Amino acid sequence: MSFSLPQALVLLVPLGLFLWKRGRRPGPPMALRWALLLLVVGALAGPEWVLRHAGSDVVVVVDRSRSMPADAGRVASELVGLLESQRRPGDRVGVISFGREARVEQPLSEAGRFGGFTRPVDAEASDLSAALDAAGALIPPGRTGRVLVVSDGRATGADARGAARRLAARGLAVDFRHVAREDSPLDLAVLSLDVPAAVKAHEPFQMTGVVVASAPVTGTVRLERNGRVLVKGPFEFHTGPNLLPFRDLVDEPGLAAYRLTVEAPGDGVVENDVGQAVLRVEGPPRVLLLTEQPEGTLAKALRAAGLMLEVRAPFPVTLDALDGVGTVVLENVDANRLGEPALNALASYVEQAGGGLVVTGGRSSFGEGGYRRSPVEPLLPVSLEMREEQRRTALAMSVLMDCSCSMGVQVPDGRTKMELAAEGVVGALTLLNEKDEVSVHMVDTDVHEIFPMSPVEEGLPLDEVSRGFSGGGGIYVGEALREGRKQILRSDKATRHVLLFSDAADSEEPADYLKTLADLRRQEVTVSVIGLGSEKDPDAALLKEIAAKGGGRVYFAEDATSLPRIFSQETIAVARATFVDEPASLEAAPDLPLLGRLPALGLPQVGGYNLTYLRPRASVALRTLDDNAAPVLALWPRGSGRVVALMAEVDGEFTGELRSWSGLRAALEGMVRWAMGGAGEAGEGVARSERRGNLLRVTLDFAPGEALPGALPSLVLLPGDGRGSPVELPMRWEDEDRVVAEYTLPGSGTWHPVVKLGTRVLRAPPVTLPYAPEFEPGSGQEGLEVLRGVAAVGGGLERLSMTGLFLEAPESEGRVVLAPWLVGLAVAALLAEVALRRFLSGPRPRRAVAPSATAAVAMPGSPVPSASAASSSQVKTGAEAGKASEEAEPHEGTTQRGVDSALEAARERARRRMKR
């Protein structure tokens, strides 16, 4: 027996005294009152019954990184099955898989069988330390057990012995089972490819590759720059490191990516046969214009302004492509042409790296272009909300969601595709106003109604939509479209629309979809499709045909995280409330001079514009003179960079008089130059970056005699592909004029270090990690030694057999909480006491009242006795006094028996006090 709050037992003393003084009652009710007191105080003390044999917990931690053998998953599943078969009553088994991050595959369970590995992990790394911490978090405090690691020991990240010490402090030992690839007699690996930090355009330079061979071999060497082969030929490798010198010269500024590949017959580890490096070729900052009109008005104006211009069709930009770019210009570019990683890269480029961004308007830009709920939206000086007062007509929409089994697959952040789609639908529904109508159904091989066609003003069960679910089989497209037709024809709104969300690789049974679509078009109903996947998937052609014959749009979301943004884009397009397609005159705003000497009078009329709303603290240079008074040209600093938004179309159907405006070229040049001046120069400091293995070291050296900063700089690491989040680290003083920061790179890829010094930034040379550190040259014995070191911290063992693991694990002390039982008994005791006192007990005894003399009270008009009479009346013999006492006793008894309530007793006591 133990108590979680033994201090509560002290309450027995004052409460017991109070009960004895004020609550005494003869008979069984008093015993029940004492029992009630003991039960209530005992429940407050939190009693627990300790069980000495409550079983043990075993968490199996499985390495699923790329360095593991191909059958590692099967071997781990078999080991888990053997452990589950040995469970005793109270024993539990849990499973955690890990790569770059740890995922719980199965919580601790006393019953059932492990169903296999389903959680996605990034196999580019093997963070054993994080996995051990996750195992410790899975075992609750107070429980004992062990951790079993199934790995090859080629761990990355922090030293796993630190996590093992934390487990050992709780009495949890770490055992291991070494599962690794067989050692190959030959391993040819590119150890490094060293290039200068930066060179000038047309400047010759030398680079060196280091290749390690475990045995002499003749192989092939190939060196590429930006995909173009520079060198290819045979090479005689000897045992140990081999140096390969190369020379090159780059004509254009920007980032040059080099790739060194070696090949040899019999190489057992092909993952480390590649070396990569990036070289910064310095030059004036460039302007990157993404447009469908390479010879349009905007491109001509920027060329005429003397800017170093690079014009390209919209593509998925990366930070590698943006190195050396001062400003990115998006001319009426749909966000889907860029993709979710590119949008993330643009956000990091502006906010962290201090780049400039200019966005121009049109039907494919801003809200209608899919930037609502995108990473770029917070960068803009205008908000992309859809306000109710701008809606022209009410609409009705039927949403059909694929809930087949493929929607249950998880994305890297742990959410399922269904959850992301449901989030997108909820976001789209919140854009509707009270006059609209909507229905939501989920479809697999059958239709599952979430809610039928309903007015928005009556309230929508958004919580039911957000939960979503994953059914079975594929989506029956024909069944979905028929349900959409039934729902949408219930509405008489002027705009009626059906939105189908389906897996582009698993859309089945179209059935009579052509007839359904024809019926909908006759009723002036449009149909759009959001396909999860790419245009190359097997059912993509069907989805395109549905959208084409339905008079709507088709979207393909290769990245499931883009679904919320695409659902919002389609809703905005259907509502037709964010683009004004009527001519509007312009007026100059006070902030127009920020862009240079531009004429404030004689401004042109635009043929249409994207309707947006100015954000607080943003500057506006031009606005419309119509009822909207909307911003047409707005700008503001964002993070370390600057952003300009031009809501008018520069070269298109809605350009209007803007094309012939004399100040157009100066305005476009001013916008780009203002955006390019975002990040200030960081004084005379020099930022350098160096990679040693997977350890990145970045230093910032200050010029001698320069004033040192009052606050320490910070280092921000930006993933080059935009698929990860920026990482910010504090820097520390290493010398009197040098600060430094170090970071362990989690996996392969390119990383862009940015040093932030107050409001200024300095971009250090980018670095690249060609392959995960676990593929660095080495033998399986090295991984085994790592696992032995981790196990030795807490007394763990190498488990060649799973037999007896639970028998050797210490058993936990189970605890049964008794407070709920005591509360129940207390309630029963209270009810019993009330029943006994109310129905089975006699009246409560009262204390006898002492007799008192009765004083005469003079009535008005009555004679007042004389003093002598009063004196003589007080003189009595003993016999007379006794007689008077005998006569008074019946009177007092009668008075006491008449007091049959607490109120009467109080009145009697008051009368007695007044008579005294």
Side-chain angles (χ1 to χ4, degrees):
M1 176 74 73
S2 65
F3 295 90
S4 60
L5 188 63
Q7 299 89 334
L9 297 175
V10 179
L11 295 175
L12 287 173
V13 177
L15 294 179
L17 292 175
F18 179 81
L19 181 60
W20 177 259
K21 183 71 174 176
R22 297 291 184 182
R24 281 186 297 169
R25 190 177 184 92
M30 191 61 192
L32 289 173
R33 291 186 178 187
W34 282 112
L36 180 62
L37 174 63
L38 294 174
L39 290 171
V40 171
V41 175
L44 290 175
E48 297 175 334
W49 188 264
V50 180
L51 303 177
R52 300 296 178 184
H53 304 286
S56 181
D57 294 339
V58 173
V59 178
V60 184
V61 177
V62 182
D63 188 350
R64 292 176 58 198
S65 63
R66 290 180 55 199
S67 65
M68 293 290 288
D71 63 343
R74 178 187 59 80
V75 173
S77 297
E78 291 177 356
L79 294 177
V80 174
L82 291 174
L83 287 175
E84 290 174 335
S85 64
Q86 299 178 35
R87 284 181 298 203
R88 304 162 300 178
D91 291 338
R92 302 187 299 177
V93 175
V95 181
I96 289 177
S97 63
F98 71 98
R100 191 192 299 268
E101 66 286 319
R103 304 286 189 192
V104 177
E105 297 281 356
Q106 174 181 288
L108 290 168
S109 173
E110 296 185 36
R113 294 291 178 180
F114 178 55
F117 298 98
T118 58
R119 302 293 301 274
V121 297
D122 188 342
E124 284 294 315
S126 179
D127 195 345
L128 178 57
S129 177
L132 292 178
D133 285 334
L138 197 61
I139 301 176
R143 292 280 295 183
T144 61
R146 305 181 79 89
V147 176
L148 175 64
V149 176
V150 181
S151 173
D152 59 358
R154 306 300 296 269
T156 61
D159 192 340
R161 288 177 294 184
R165 292 188 187 95
R166 291 188 286 272
L167 293 175
R170 296 177 50 190
L172 303 175
V174 179
D175 299 332
F176 71 91
R177 175 69 174 269
H178 186 237
V179 178
R181 299 181 182 183
E182 294 184 3
D183 285 339
S184 173
L186 175 63
D187 181 16
L188 191 64
V190 179
L191 197 61
S192 65
L193 180 59
D194 301 323
V195 299
V199 297
K200 300 290 186 181
H202 308 288
E203 176 186 349
F205 63 93
Q206 179 173 313
M207 71 186 83
T208 304
V210 181
V211 180
V212 177
S214 60
V217 66
T218 300
T220 303
V221 174
R222 184 174 70 253
L223 178 67
E224 303 172 50
R225 188 224 306 150
N226 297 333
R228 175 190 172 192
V229 178
L230 302 179
V231 176
K232 183 177 181 179
F235 191 88
E236 294 289 338
F237 295 99
H238 58 77
T239 305
N242 300 262
L243 300 181
L244 284 71
F246 303 99
R247 291 182 178 274
D248 196 18
L249 179 147
V250 183
D251 297 327
E252 299 292 334
L255 200 66
Y258 289 90
R259 180 184 178 92
L260 175 63
T261 306
V262 295
E263 299 175 352
D267 189 356
V269 184
V270 297
E271 289 84 356
N272 57 17
D273 291 351
V274 176
Q276 293 178 339
V278 288
L279 172 67
R280 175 175 290 169
V281 183
E282 296 180 338
R286 312 189 313 277
V287 176
L288 176 61
L289 172 60
L290 301 183
T291 179
E292 297 288 0
Q293 304 180 70
E295 298 300 328
T297 302
L298 182 55
K300 292 178 179 178
L302 297 181
R303 286 195 186 98
L307 295 168
M308 181 174 289
L309 183 66
E310 178 183 359
V311 182
R312 297 184 62 177
F315 72 101
V317 297
T318 63
L319 284 176
D320 297 350
L322 298 179
D323 195 83
V325 173
T327 299
V328 177
V329 181
L330 303 178
E331 183 184 9
N332 197 19
V333 175
D334 193 296
N336 296 299
R337 296 288 305 275
L338 303 177
E340 211 67 19
L343 296 173
N344 288 323
L346 280 174
S348 297
Y349 166 75
V350 173
E351 290 193 295
Q352 306 295 341
L357 176 65
V358 176
V359 182
T360 69
R363 283 288 191 183
S364 298
S365 187
F366 295 104
E368 291 204 11
Y371 290 92
R372 167 80 175 173
R373 302 193 68 183
S374 77
V376 172
E377 183 185 13
L379 304 179
L380 300 174
V382 292
S383 66
L384 307 182
E385 58 192 295
M386 186 171 65
R387 295 185 179 178
E388 181 176 348
E389 61 266 21
Q390 304 301 334
R391 293 282 301 277
R392 300 180 181 178
T393 59
L395 66 90
M397 185 164 61
S398 174
V399 181
L400 308 169
M401 301 175 62
D402 183 353
C403 68
S404 60
C405 57
S406 62
M407 292 295 106
V409 177
Q410 291 180 330
V411 297
D413 66 0
R415 293 178 293 176
T416 64
K417 296 178 179 179
M418 187 73 255
E419 290 173 338
L420 288 167
E423 178 185 338
V425 173
V426 170
L429 297 183
T430 57
L431 294 173
L432 303 178
N433 63 24
E434 294 182 353
K435 299 178 181 178
D436 297 330
E437 294 178 350
V438 66
S439 67
V440 176
H441 292 75
M442 295 189 179
V443 186
D444 46 20
T445 56
D446 200 359
V447 176
H448 310 278
E449 183 173 271
I450 304 301
F451 59 86
M453 186 63 65
S454 308
V456 175
E457 62 183 355
E458 295 181 1
L460 302 177
L462 299 182
D463 55 336
E464 297 183 17
V465 179
S466 62
R467 284 196 295 268
F469 66 92
S470 178
I475 176 175
Y476 281 14
V477 175
E479 187 73 21
L481 291 175
R482 284 192 295 271
E483 181 63 31
R485 177 183 59 186
K486 182 176 73 173
Q487 294 293 327
I488 202 66
L489 294 182
R490 291 178 178 176
S491 175
D492 57 356
K493 300 295 182 183
T495 301
R496 294 182 293 181
H497 187 67
V498 174
L499 177 57
L500 171 65
F501 165 66
S502 181
D503 192 337
D506 194 21
S507 298
E508 306 174 2
E509 302 294 333
D512 57 346
Y513 74 104
L514 293 177
K515 178 180 180 300
T516 304
L517 292 172
D519 291 344
L520 290 172
R521 294 302 294 141
R522 280 194 296 270
Q523 299 289 337
E524 297 183 348
V525 177
T526 55
V527 180
S528 291
V529 179
I530 299 176
L532 182 59
S534 70
E535 299 184 43
K536 299 178 181 179
D537 287 335
D539 296 321
L542 171 63
L543 301 183
K544 287 182 180 179
E545 184 182 13
I546 291 174
K549 293 186 177 299
R553 293 155 293 275
V554 63
Y555 310 85
F556 288 98
E558 296 187 38
D559 189 339
T561 58
S562 65
L563 288 175
R565 175 181 59 78
I566 295 176
F567 273 101
S568 295
Q569 178 182 1
E570 173 62 12
T571 305
I572 290 174
V574 173
R576 297 196 296 267
T578 63
F579 192 87
V580 178
D581 55 5
E582 299 175 352
S585 300
L586 304 180
E587 68 172 353
D591 298 319
L592 183 62
L594 292 175
L595 302 178
R597 294 184 177 180
L598 299 178
L601 301 176
L603 296 176
Q605 194 179 62
V606 295
Y609 61 93
N610 296 86
L611 181 58
T612 60
Y613 305 91
L614 193 70
R615 293 187 188 270
R617 297 189 297 275
S619 300
V620 58
L622 296 174
R623 63 166 59 97
T624 63
L625 286 172
D626 57 9
D627 294 338
N628 296 323
V632 172
L633 180 56
L635 58 156
W636 72 344
R638 179 65 181 180
S640 300
R642 293 180 178 181
V643 182
V644 179
L646 175 64
M647 275 59 72
E649 190 173 16
V650 176
D651 198 357
E653 178 184 356
F654 300 97
T655 302
E657 299 174 0
L658 187 66
R659 184 181 290 107
S660 58
W661 181 39
S662 60
L664 177 61
R665 197 184 84 176
L668 296 175
E669 179 185 356
M671 291 160 48
V672 172
R673 292 192 182 278
W674 185 88
M676 193 178 297
E681 296 294 331
E684 298 297 328
V686 178
R688 297 182 175 89
S689 57
E690 178 185 10
R691 181 181 65 83
R692 300 172 183 173
N694 65 331
L695 181 66
L696 173 63
R697 175 182 169 87
V698 178
T699 60
L700 176 62
D701 293 300
F702 297 96
E706 182 183 1
L708 299 179
L712 279 174
S714 61
L715 171 66
V716 180
L717 287 174
L718 308 176
D721 57 4
R723 296 187 180 276
S725 301
V727 178
E728 186 165 1
L729 304 169
M731 304 187 77
R732 56 181 173 82
W733 289 104
E734 186 182 55
D735 204 346
E736 61 181 9
D737 55 0
R738 172 182 292 179
V739 291
V740 63
E742 294 180 343
Y743 179 69
T744 301
L745 299 176
S748 59
T750 303
W751 300 82
H752 292 253
V754 175
V755 178
K756 300 181 71 172
L757 189 59
T759 58
R760 301 171 295 173
V761 297
L762 192 64
R763 304 182 195 178
V767 297
T768 183
L769 187 64
Y771 49 82
E774 55 187 355
F775 289 115
E776 291 181 355
S779 65
Q781 186 66 27
E782 295 177 1
L784 180 59
E785 293 300 325
V786 170
L787 294 177
R788 286 174 177 170
V790 171
V793 172
L797 304 172
E798 181 177 4
R799 293 285 177 179
L800 300 178
S801 173
M802 298 297 105
T803 304
L805 192 147
F806 276 111
L807 294 175
E808 298 175 13
E811 289 200 75
S812 305
E813 290 185 350
R815 296 177 181 269
V816 179
V817 179
L818 301 180
W821 297 94
L822 295 183
V823 171
L825 292 174
V827 172
L830 176 63
L831 296 176
E833 192 274 339
V834 172
L836 285 175
R837 176 167 47 83
R838 187 76 175 174
F839 303 109
L840 301 179
S841 297
R844 180 177 179 179
R846 304 288 182 177
R847 290 186 302 172
V849 180
S852 60
T854 303
V857 179
M859 300 296 295
S862 63
V864 179
S866 64
S868 60
S871 175
S872 63
S873 65
Q874 294 177 1
V875 180
K876 296 186 177 181
T877 63
E880 292 174 335
K883 182 178 179 180
S885 175
E886 291 174 359
E887 293 175 354
E889 284 177 4
H891 173 75
E892 292 295 333
T894 302
T895 303
Q896 180 62 34
R897 285 192 300 270
V899 180
D900 54 2
S901 69
L903 182 59
E904 292 294 336
R907 291 173 178 172
E908 181 66 21
R909 286 194 296 272
R911 284 195 293 268
R912 285 198 296 269
R913 283 196 300 270
M914 292 180 65
K915 291 174 182 178
R916 287 196 296 270

